[in-house]
Amino acid sequence: VRFVVVVRRIYFTTKLYLPSHKQKMGVKLKTEYGPVLHMPILKEGRERVSHHPDGMLSHQSYPQLGDDPEYLITGTNAYPSGPGVALTADTKIHRNPSEGAVHSLTLALPPSLDASRTAASVAEIHRHAGVAERIHPPSTAVVNHSGTRNSALIRRAPTMPKPQWHPPWKLFRVISGHLGWVRSIAVEPGNQWFVTGSADRTIKIWDLASGKLKLSLTGHISTVRGVAVSSRSPYLFSCGEDKQVKCWDLEYNKVIRHYHGHLSAVYDLDLHPTIDVLVTCSRDASARVWDIRSKANVHTLTGHTNTVATVRCQAVEPQIITGSHDATIRLWDLIAGKTRATLTNHKKSVRTLVLHPRQYTFASGSADNIKQWKFPDGNFIQNLSGHNAIINTLAVNSDGVLVSGADNGTMHMWDWRTGYNFQRIHAAVQPGSLDSESGIFACLFDHSESRLITAEADKTIKVYKEDDTATEESHPVNWKPEILKRKRF
């Protein structure tokens, strides 16, 4: 008897509860999902489930979109929902919907909406299914049953502008003379000559116009990794893998100062543009700030956990920027000698930095890609991907041409603003050199920005210049907007 009573109680409770539950869910659907209840839902059985205003569901046969299961779509955009979203196996290959599917999606809209207020038409579905959706995603407004637009708008993604046209660069001169890898370059302020440092332990000064050797300086006992010419005094500075930092007086061609303190090879150095300060970086994971005149070690900049491969100085804050093999970039406060910001976006060693001559921005090069940043806080701008090699050097001119040189001897030219790769160069190695000796260790524009000088692993110095005969018609920009899509991370 007790069992029968319990069963009857459960039966009547369920019978009373089901209608109230359905009514509750109907009210909830209408309140929270009213603006989109008219849209179809695709199920595995290819049924379209439509919602009625009273909250009940009804099943209708859905038109076949094609025999291929990849024709199943849940919207008009077969691409990821936003920048940085990875493509899946279902979205790598995009196929346009068939005519029947397009019309079925159009007819799925409520008939109460007039043509001017319709969220999607046949033409729009076809247009949104193509490439244009990736470049100009529309700002989507939700339309409810009353015909009014919801105020919640999806923000329009940034559009990719057409890159500025730049004339191509061509090889102008090959200079030989070093007996080892050429590791560093510097051009003197008067643009009459330039300096190179090499693995043959010498520093050579070359005439910029003719390419002839003017002078050789000896004194380092290992590879010369960095050279810099002062614009404030007749001094040349050099550093090398012998842990030495030297100051050369170019009036006497002799070393007049040594800066002692680094515990391992010194990889790079740079001069402050407005004060008599020299900054060096080393394999001992530190950068050091030196007073040029007194040879005093003003600051030792510590914080990196691996080799500091590159350093750059500028007159405004942050006055010192370093890149390291610990895959980070640090912006330093010169007065306090402490880190202002640490940029951790790179996944591999940061080997080179370059400051834009006119903009308050800079770029960093690594084996993963090239990244652009904005001062003073190091806000990320964009990635320049495609140079799939270890990038040793970057150079940029005021016309917005960014050059990246890599370990495999390739050199890519980029438009700074858009990140478009407009030229790729792989010059032949010097006769007698191995193909493996095809690496670019340093590159630099001269002060007129009409010549590009590269230091290479085949022991040569190559000079490039713009092709004066090239026009935009003869060398058009093969610009495809989807190539310029930026990764926002």
Side-chain angles (χ1 to χ4, degrees), residues 90-154:
D90 297 329
T91 57
K92 280 181 179 177
I93 301 176
H94 172 66
R95 292 182 171 87
N96 291 332
S98 62
E99 289 290 335
V102 170
H103 283 284
S104 66
L105 285 173
T106 309
L107 295 174
L109 295 169
S112 60
L113 300 178
D114 57 77
S116 63
R117 305 300 292 269
T118 301
S121 65
V122 175
E124 284 180 336
I125 291 173
H126 272 302
R127 176 170 60 84
H128 291 171
V131 178
E133 179 71 2
R134 284 180 283 175
I135 297 90
H136 302 288
S139 295
T140 306
V142 179
V143 183
N144 57 26
H145 287 289
S146 63
T148 60
R149 289 179 179 269
N150 197 326
S151 60
L153 294 176
I154 299 175

Side-chain angles (χ1 to χ4, degrees), residues 295-353:
K295 300 182 287 185
N297 186 184
V298 180
H299 290 302
T300 300
L301 307 178
T302 57
H304 285 294
T305 58
N306 206 331
T307 299
V308 185
T310 179
V311 62
R312 289 292 175 266
C313 297
Q314 61 179 359
V316 293
E317 293 293 341
Q319 296 183 55
I320 300 174
I321 308 99
T322 57
S324 169
H325 287 189
D326 64 9
T328 66
I329 301 164
R330 285 180 180 256
L331 314 181
W332 299 88
D333 184 335
L334 176 59
I335 298 172
K338 295 181 179 179
T339 304
R340 285 172 52 109
T342 304
L343 313 179
T344 59
N345 300 46
H346 278 291
K347 297 178 179 66
K348 296 189 178 180
S349 303
V350 180
R351 294 170 180 259
T352 178
L353 298 169

Side-chain angles (χ1 to χ4, degrees), residues 163-301:
Q164 177 188 346
W165 182 82
H166 301 283
W169 292 73
K170 62 181 182 180
L171 183 62
F172 171 62
R173 178 179 287 132
V174 179
I175 302 171
S176 301
H178 277 295
L179 303 177
W181 290 354
V182 188
R183 300 301 305 243
S184 53
I185 308 173
V187 180
E188 63 98 12
N191 213 41
Q192 299 298 312
W193 46 267
F194 67 95
V195 186
T196 55
S198 169
D200 62 10
R201 301 169 295 178
T202 65
I203 299 167
K204 292 184 183 291
I205 298 177
W206 311 84
D207 184 71
L208 186 57
S210 65
K212 293 181 179 179
L213 180 64
K214 293 169 69 75
L215 183 67
S216 291
L217 301 173
T218 58
H220 281 281
I221 58 174
S222 189
T223 301
V224 181
R225 293 294 294 261
V227 289
V229 184
S230 174
S231 59
R232 298 166 55 85
S233 55
Y235 295 155
L236 165 68
F237 296 86
S238 64
C239 64
E241 293 180 3
D242 52 10
K243 311 178 193 175
Q244 297 184 37
V245 181
K246 296 175 182 287
C247 174
W248 304 77
D249 189 328
L250 295 176
E251 292 180 350
Y252 298 97
N253 299 330
K254 291 182 179 179
V255 178
I256 59 171
R257 297 188 186 101
H258 287 88
Y259 302 90
H260 296 287
H262 278 296
L263 306 176
S264 189
V266 186
Y267 276 13
D268 197 13
L269 79 171
D270 198 21
L271 290 163
H272 195 284
T274 56
I275 57 177
D276 290 329
V277 160
L278 170 69
V279 185
T280 57
C281 61
S282 169
R283 199 166 58 195
D284 61 12
S286 72
R288 291 177 184 262
V289 182
W290 310 90
D291 183 302
I292 290 176
R293 295 180 181 178
S294 68
K295 300 182 287 185
N297 186 184
V298 180
H299 290 302
T300 300
L301 307 178

Side-chain angles (χ1 to χ4, degrees), residues 181 428-438 457-460 462:
W181 290 354
V429 297
Q430 183 76 354
S433 298
L434 301 174
D435 288 338
S436 58
E437 290 185 313
S438 177
D458 62 358
K459 309 180 184 68
T460 65
K462 294 184 173 72

Side-chain angles (χ1 to χ4, degrees), residues 289-469:
V289 182
W290 310 90
D291 183 302
I292 290 176
R293 295 180 181 178
S294 68
K295 300 182 287 185
N297 186 184
V298 180
H299 290 302
T300 300
L301 307 178
T302 57
H304 285 294
T305 58
N306 206 331
T307 299
V308 185
T310 179
V311 62
R312 289 292 175 266
C313 297
Q314 61 179 359
V316 293
E317 293 293 341
Q319 296 183 55
I320 300 174
I321 308 99
T322 57
S324 169
H325 287 189
D326 64 9
T328 66
I329 301 164
R330 285 180 180 256
L331 314 181
W332 299 88
D333 184 335
L334 176 59
I335 298 172
K338 295 181 179 179
T339 304
R340 285 172 52 109
T342 304
L343 313 179
T344 59
N345 300 46
H346 278 291
K347 297 178 179 66
K348 296 189 178 180
S349 303
V350 180
R351 294 170 180 259
T352 178
L353 298 169
V354 66
L355 312 183
H356 195 284
R358 292 185 178 176
Q359 299 178 14
Y360 198 36
T361 56
F362 72 103
S364 58
S366 175
D368 50 8
N369 50 35
I370 301 165
K371 296 181 185 290
Q372 289 179 344
W373 314 85
K374 186 187 295 183
F375 287 124
D377 299 319
N379 297 324
F380 175 73
I381 300 175
Q382 66 176 344
N383 275 332
L384 280 64
S385 300
H387 201 168
N388 300 318
I390 298 173
I391 296 170
N392 287 324
T393 178
L394 294 173
V396 64
N397 64 13
S398 55
D399 194 35
V401 176
L402 175 67
V403 182
S404 57
D407 228 24
N408 60 1
T410 59
M411 190 163 60
H412 286 202
M413 309 286 192
W414 311 80
D415 178 57
W416 178 275
R417 184 172 62 95
T418 60
Y420 171 67
N421 179 205
F422 68 89
Q423 188 182 4
R424 300 181 181 187
I425 300 172
H426 192 173
V429 297
Q430 183 76 354
S433 298
L434 301 174
D435 288 338
S436 58
E437 290 185 313
S438 177
I440 300 174
F441 294 119
C443 65
L444 187 68
F445 287 99
D446 72 342
H447 294 298
S448 69
E449 299 184 339
S450 62
R451 284 165 289 196
L452 173 67
I453 310 167
T454 63
E456 309 210 1
D458 62 358
K459 309 180 184 68
T460 65
I461 302 147
K462 294 184 173 72
V463 183
Y464 295 82
K465 68 176 184 179
E466 289 182 339
D467 188 352
D468 298 331
T469 62

Side-chain angles (χ1 to χ4, degrees), residues 9-36:
R9 185 177 297 170
I10 292 172
Y11 171 75
F12 285 114
T13 304
T14 307
K15 190 174 181 181
L16 291 172
Y17 172 73
L18 280 176
S20 62
H21 178 70
K22 287 183 179 179
Q23 188 175 6
K24 176 184 175 183
M25 294 305 295
V27 171
K28 189 172 183 179
L29 279 171
K30 195 170 183 181
T31 304
E32 297 188 8
Y33 305 104
V36 295

